[in-house]
Amino acid sequence: MRLIALHEREKIAAWLSQNADLNIYQIGDLDAFFWPSTLWYGLEEAGEIVQIGLVYLGHSMPIWLMFDDQRQQYSAQLAAAMRPLLPAKIYCHFSPGIAEGLADRYQLHDHGLHHKMILRDFGKLDQVRFEREVGQLSSADLPAINQLYAEAYPDTAFDPRMLETGCCYGIWQDDQLISIAGIHVYSPSYRVAALGNITTHPAYRGQGLAKQVTAKLCQSLRHEIKHIGLNVHSANHIAIKTYENLGFSWVADYSEVLLAQKS
């Protein structure tokens, strides 16, 4: 086994696409929009890649993504091999059990178990009743978007650049944005999209608004995107039920863990 740096997008895409539903975020990060902010590492055995890890540098803190597909032993070995290359703090999206192998060097701050979900039943999108007008959002709406997140979802990882894709929809009450659905990753080239930043103002929850904005976003993507996925905290039962009603189903569990180097 040896650690290698990966630089060929199509080679990486071919490996990740063996399980596209599991690796939807990493595949999306191969897009030209995200690619300059990525570092890719692989574990190679007898000339073949057996596991891939991505470090994404597009946020204030690096994010390390690595998921198991019946390759648990390879993930542990790749994590150990990458360890000398890592910064003092890094936020991880890992299949359960990987982070624990790094506990000798890092303090582990657990941010909970999450579900990966994928849209499989597109027919359910056509059953959604739109009781409010759902409109596409743009950069001109950024002040209202920031205000909504400040009041409803202050910890969201919203990247204003995503508004340039046109993949952000919302519901307004007069001049106040009260519900929103957007994306974390979007790549027409690789035909993947990962939804995110979905929330509704606390004063308007319980009216099905998140379901409507998410459905409109999925309807806008369904003809050009093959894999539409999202991540959701396993304890967010209301959101999980909403996504299931829209045609999403479970793919895998993963953990979000902040690694902070021990002094």
Side-chain angles (χ1 to χ4, degrees), residues 91-105:
Y91 195 82
C92 302
H93 290 202
F94 281 169
S95 291
I98 299 175
E100 287 72 10
L102 300 167
D104 61 330
R105 179 183 178 187

Side-chain angles (χ1 to χ4, degrees), residues 187-204:
S187 175
S189 300
Y190 292 99
R191 301 189 69 191
V192 299
L195 311 189
N197 308 310
I198 301 169
T199 195
T200 296
H201 191 282
Y204 295 91

Side-chain angles (χ1 to χ4, degrees), residues 29 62 89 126-127 136 172:
D29 284 336
K89 283 189 176 182
D126 300 323
Q127 301 171 16
Q136 189 178 46
W172 297 82

Side-chain angles (χ1 to χ4, degrees), residues 11 50 70 104 114 138 144 149 165 170 198 204 206 240:
K11 184 176 182 179
V50 295
Q70 308 302 317
D104 61 330
H114 291 66
S138 70
Y149 284 137
T165 67
I198 301 169
Y204 295 91
I240 292 169

Side-chain angles (χ1 to χ4, degrees), residues 28 31-34 136-139 158-169 181-188 192-197 217 220-221 224-225:
D31 192 88
F33 188 89
F34 303 99
Q136 189 178 46
L137 301 176
S138 70
S139 298
F158 171 63
D159 184 346
R161 297 180 305 161
M162 295 298 97
L163 293 169
E164 300 171 19
T165 67
C167 301
C168 192
Y169 287 81
I183 56 168
H184 287 309
V185 168
Y186 168 70
S187 175
V192 299
L195 311 189
N197 308 310
L217 172 57
S220 74
L221 294 169
E224 64 172 344
I225 300 299

